Amino acid sequence: MRHTNQRAWPTLNAAALAVLATLPGWAQATDNAIAAAPAAIASTAAADIDTIGAVQTVLVTTRRRVESSQNVPTPMTVLGDDALDGNRLYRVQELQQLLPSTTINYVHARQMSFAVRGLGNNPASDGLEGSVGIYLDNVYLARPGMAAFDALDLQQLELLRGPQGTLFGKNTTAGVLNIATKKPSFTPERSVELAAGRFGYGQGKLVLSGPLTETLAARLSAYKTHDDGYITNRHNGDKVQGGDRQGVRAQTLYAPGQAFNLRVIADYNEEHSNNGTLVFYSAGPSGRAIAQARLVGASPVLDPNERAVDLDSGSSVTVHQGGISAEANWTLADDTRLTAISAWRYWNFTPHNEDGLPVPITLDVGASARHKQFSQELRWATPAGRPVESVFGAYYYYQELDNNSFTRNGPLADIYNGNPAGAWANVASDAPGRLRVNSYALFAQSTWHATPLLDLTAGIRASYEDKWARVVRTAPTGGAAVTGAALAARNGRFGAFDSADLTLTQASPTALLSAGYKAARDVLLYASVSHGEKSGGINLAVPGSGSGGVASMLVGAERANALELGVKSTLLGNRLQLNGNLFATVVHGYQSNAYDPVARSSYLTNAGDVRTRGVEVEAIATPVRGLTIRANGAFNDASYLKYTNAPCAPERAGTFCDLSGRNALVNAPRWTGNVAVQYGQLVAAGLQGYVNANCAYRASTYGTLDASEYARIPAYGVTNASLGVRTTNGAAWDVSLWVRNAFDKQYYTSLWNSGFGSYNAVIGTPRTVGITGRHDF
C-alpha cells in the first residue's frame, strides 16, 4: 500500500462525490482512483456519506488531477453553484463580494479588469493581456470583457492567487480565475427560472440536459435579461445604466467508455445596453470643468449621490461574442492520461460615448474592437499514486484584433475646450489599429512524494511570443477650413499619423518550487516561491504629444517574484475549515493604464516596480445542522517601490511625479473582507425554508494612477440577502425573495480621469428587491 494515496485521497461525503462526477476527466479517472485508494479510506468515505453538518469536501482539477482543494499547496478559493445561487450573484463582475483579495473594475465590457492583491488593474488595453488569467471551461479568454456575461449554468469557480503558468495554458503574474460550467448529464435535467425586481429587472433561464444515446449526452442552456438602469437622465427622464443581455450554450458529451470522452461546447452571448454611463465625481482642485461647461450653457449634475446625469445622447455599447471548443481525454493502458483542448472564440465590441453634457460638444467617441483567437493545448499526465506525478504540456495561442479609436465632434467643441475658433468643431477622426499575436509555450510540473508526509513540487514554463501591430490615423474630416493657430490645434489633436510596423518578441520563463507538509491528517503546511512573466504590449492608440512618440507605444514585460507561506486545516470533526497564508510579491515593470490630459486618452505604461505583501484568512464553518458560514479577510500592503515618472495629480505641479514608496496602487484597498451565511431548515414535510446573507467590505483606495486626493474611493460595505422555500421531494420548486445592497449604500466601484483635472465615477447598484422562482421538471 502506498502511503501517498492515504494523503492524496481525502474523506468524501455524498455532496463531494456529486461534484466530483461533474468534473473534467472524471469518467476516466474514477475507476483508477477508487482502485488505488486504500480500503481504510474507502470505508471511512462510506461512513462519512451520512455525516450531517460537516464542511463538504470541495474537489478541484487545478493540478490537472482530481483532488481536494485542501490538499493543494497554494492559496485558492473555490465557489460552488450553491454559493453563487444562494448569494444571487448573476454576473462575473460581482464576484469581488465573495472572493478574497479581488477587485473587478467594470464600466462596460471593454473597460473591465480583474485584479488580485492589487495587481491587474489595466482595463481597456487592446494591446495587452490581463495580469489575471480568465479561463472558461479550460479555454483562456484574452479580453477580460469576454467574461462580462450573465452567470449561466455554472458548476464551480476557482481563484488561484499568485503567478501561474506551469499548469495553465497562458502565463499570468497575479492569478487565475477558472470558470467551469455544468457538463451534459446522462440523467435527465430540466429547469426553468424566472426573476423580476426593481428598476425593471427581469431574467429568464432554461436548462435542458440528458442522454441522446447510451454514450452521448447533450445540454442546452439559455438566458435573457433586461433591466432599465438605476441612473436618471434628466435630459429626457429615461433610466440609464441598463439594457438587454441574452445568450445560449449548447454542449455534447461523448463517453463510450472509461478510456475516452469528448466534450464539445458552442456558445453565443450578446448585449445591447447603455452601460458605461459615468456620474460626475469631482471637479479637482481648479473646478475648471464646471466653468467650461457653463461657457456652453450646461450645468452638470455635480452631486453623485443624486444618481443622475444630464446627457443629450447618452452612452451605449453593443457586444457580440461566441465560440466553440472541444476537449478530448484519453486514458491509456498504463493509466497515462492525454488531453487535447482546441478552441476558437470571437468578441466584437461597439461603443457610443458622448461628452457627459446636454449640449453638442463631442457627439461620439470611443474605441471599437473586433477580436478573434484560436488556442490549442496538449497535456500528458502520468498515472496517479506513484512516487512522482507529472504533467507535461504544450500550448499555442493566436490572436487577431482590429480596433478603431474614433471621435465625432459637435459645433461647441472649441468653446468648451478653449481652442481657437474652428479648430475642433464638427471635426471627425478615425485611427484604426491592428494587432497580431503568436504565442508558443512548453510547460511541466512534477510532484515528488518524498515521504508519506512531505511533497515537493517543481514546475517550469518556457513561453515565446511575437506581436505585430500598426496604428494609422487618417487626416481629420469635416469642420471649417482653418489656418494658423486653429490648424495647429487641429493637427495636434487629430492630425494624420502612421506608426509603421511595430514588432515585439520576447521569451518569458515561469517557474515554481513548493513544499507541502502534512503536520496532521487534516493540516497541511506549505511554502512556495515562484517567478512569473507576462510579455510586453503594444498601445493601439495614437500617442499624445508629450508621451514620447512611437517609442512609447511599446510596453515592456511585467515580471513577478512571489513567496507564499500558508496552512490549510480541517478542524472540530470536519465542522471548521480554516486556511491562512502570508504572501509577498515584487513586480518589475508593472503594466498599467495612464491618462494623457492633452490627448485626453488612456495609454499603457510600465508603472515602475511594485510590492504587495500581506495576509489572507479564509474560514468555512458548519456549527449546527443546516448552517454554513463562510468568511474571508485580507490585509494587503501594496506600494510602489520605484515609480519616478508617474502622471501628476491635478493638485501637483509638473508633468511627472514620484510615487516611489507610496501606497498608491489603483483600486488596491489595504483591507477587504467578506462574510456569507447560509441556513436551511425543514418547515414542513417535503418543504425547506432557507435564508442567505452576505456582507462585503472594502477599505478606501485611490481610483486613478495619478493618486490624486480628489480621486479617492471611500470605504464601503454592501449587504445582500435572500429568503426562500424549496421542495425536498417530488416536483422541485424553489421560490425566493432577495435584496441587493440592502441598506442602499452609495458606493463607487471605480473612478476615471476626465477633462480639466476632473473625475467621473461608476456608482454601485442601489437597493434592488426582487423575486426568483425556479422549477425542475
Side-chain angles (χ1 to χ4, degrees), residues 24-90:
W26 166 252
Q28 73 271 21
T30 306
D31 289 347
N32 299 336
I34 291 177
I41 296 300
S43 63
T44 304
D48 270 13
I49 288 177
D50 296 325
T51 299
I52 296 175
V55 175
Q56 295 185 356
T57 301
V58 176
L59 299 161
V60 298
T61 55
T62 302
R63 295 194 292 182
R64 306 313 183 190
R65 303 181 185 282
V66 179
E67 59 187 331
S68 166
S69 62
Q70 289 296 94
N71 284 347
V72 180
T74 191
M76 64 182 301
T77 300
V78 182
L79 298 177
D81 59 344
D82 58 335
L84 298 171
D85 290 342
N87 291 283
R88 301 301 173 191
L89 295 181
Y90 298 110

Side-chain angles (χ1 to χ4, degrees), residues 556-700:
E558 181 176 281
R559 299 178 173 88
N561 297 309
L563 170 67
E564 305 276 356
L565 300 173
V567 58
K568 295 186 175 184
S569 62
T570 304
L571 310 170
L572 304 179
N574 206 33
R575 291 181 179 270
L576 174 63
Q577 190 177 97
L578 182 61
N579 300 337
N581 63 283
L582 301 172
F583 65 88
T585 302
V586 174
V587 180
H588 300 284
Y590 179 55
Q591 298 166 341
S592 188
N593 259 354
Y595 180 75
D596 184 339
V598 177
R600 299 188 183 178
S601 62
S602 297
Y603 63 95
L604 292 172
T605 185
N606 291 109
D609 298 336
V610 168
R611 180 186 63 200
T612 65
R613 58 185 179 182
V615 59
E616 298 165 334
V617 179
E618 295 184 77
I620 305 175
T622 56
V624 298
R625 178 177 180 175
L627 175 64
T628 300
I629 302 173
R630 303 171 184 268
N632 63 70
F635 169 77
N636 182 22
D637 176 27
S639 62
Y640 290 108
L641 293 177
K642 183 180 181 182
Y643 190 17
T644 58
N645 61 337
C648 286
E651 67 267 28
R652 302 181 65 182
T655 303
F656 298 106
C657 290
D658 189 353
L659 295 181
S660 303
R662 293 187 57 185
N663 296 106
L665 265 70
V666 176
N667 228 338
R670 291 174 70 85
W671 295 96
T672 57
N674 306 292
V675 177
V677 178
Q678 294 179 284
Y679 179 69
Q681 178 67 45
L682 287 176
V683 295
L687 191 65
Q688 182 191 56
Y690 62 88
V691 61
N692 300 279
N694 78 283
C695 182
Y697 170 80
R698 303 176 66 80
S700 64

Side-chain angles (χ1 to χ4, degrees), residues 374-529:
F374 170 79
S375 59
Q376 178 65 60
E377 183 172 357
L378 299 173
R379 290 199 307 267
W380 173 48
T382 63
R386 295 186 177 179
V388 177
E389 299 173 352
S390 302
V391 175
F392 303 93
Y395 183 76
Y396 171 71
Y397 167 80
Y398 175 75
Q399 173 188 335
E400 292 184 1
L401 188 143
D402 295 272
N403 74 349
N404 181 36
S405 299
F406 59 87
T407 302
R408 309 286 183 263
N409 284 334
L412 299 180
D414 292 321
I415 299 175
Y416 176 75
N417 289 287
N419 293 328
W424 292 3
N426 299 312
V427 167
S429 174
D430 290 277
R434 308 194 73 184
L435 174 71
R436 302 293 181 265
V437 177
N438 283 283
S439 178
Y440 314 84
L442 297 174
F443 56 90
Q445 182 167 304
S446 295
T447 298
W448 173 37
H449 304 299
T451 74
L453 302 178
L454 177 65
D455 284 352
L456 301 176
T457 299
I460 192 169
R461 175 192 184 92
S463 299
Y464 176 81
E465 293 189 345
D466 66 77
K467 298 182 178 182
W468 170 91
R470 185 174 183 178
V471 177
V472 176
R473 185 166 64 193
T474 58
T477 60
V482 292
T483 59
L487 178 60
R490 179 180 295 182
N491 289 334
R493 178 66 179 87
F494 302 112
F497 173 85
D498 189 344
S499 69
D501 290 346
L502 298 170
T503 59
L504 191 65
T505 59
Q506 182 177 341
S508 303
T510 299
L512 167 73
L513 290 174
S514 72
Y517 178 74
K518 280 285 188 177
R521 181 178 183 274
D522 295 318
V523 178
L524 172 69
L525 305 178
Y526 65 88
S528 68
V529 291

